[in-house]
């Protein structure tokens, strides 16, 4: 649980818990944001319990190149409509 005075991610907290709600959002247990991204989102004001509603994901240099054409590791955000259908650009999902 987060300290109300210190919103940093406590050491050892696993943010990859699977949601059991049928929200249409990504609840795949293999989907992991990674500790650094979780902390960046917390620092941006997005609590851990809301992060599973986002389409953020960590990518390697190779994955980033396949998705967005840039060889940089980090994270990407899949843009979707209200129903979870990805927006497309030139026939490919837009990140």
């Amino acid at each position: 649980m987060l300290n109300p005075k210190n919103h940093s991610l406590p050491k050892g907290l696993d943010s990859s818990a699977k949601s059991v709600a049928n929200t249409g959002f990504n609840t795949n247990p293999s989907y992991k944001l990674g500790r650094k991204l979780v902390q960046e989102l917390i620092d941006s004001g997005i609590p851990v319990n809301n992060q599973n509603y986002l389409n953020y994901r960590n990518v390697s240099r190779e994955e980033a190149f396949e998705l967005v054409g840039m060889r940089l590791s980090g994270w990407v955000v899949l843009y979707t409509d209200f129903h979870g259908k990805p927006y497309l650009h030139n026939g490919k999902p837009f990140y």
Side-chain angles (χ1 to χ4, degrees), residues 20-87:
V20 294
N22 185 11
T23 62
F25 295 101
N26 192 343
T27 58
N28 182 343
S30 66
Y31 175 81
K32 296 184 188 243
L33 295 175
R35 185 176 181 81
K36 182 178 179 187
L37 177 53
V38 168
Q39 187 60 56
E40 286 182 35
L41 294 172
I42 290 169
D43 293 344
S44 297
I46 302 171
V48 172
N49 59 333
N50 289 341
Q51 293 179 11
N52 63 311
Y53 297 112
L54 306 174
N55 288 318
Y56 287 61
R57 82 179 232 216
N58 283 319
V59 292
S60 67
R61 291 171 48 107
E62 294 76 23
E63 290 172 313
F65 185 72
E66 289 176 19
L67 296 174
V68 298
M70 300 182 77
R71 291 192 189 274
L72 300 170
S73 63
W75 49 271
V76 295
V77 181
L78 175 63
Y79 285 81
T80 63
D81 65 16
F82 181 73
H83 301 288
K85 181 179 176 187
Y87 288 113

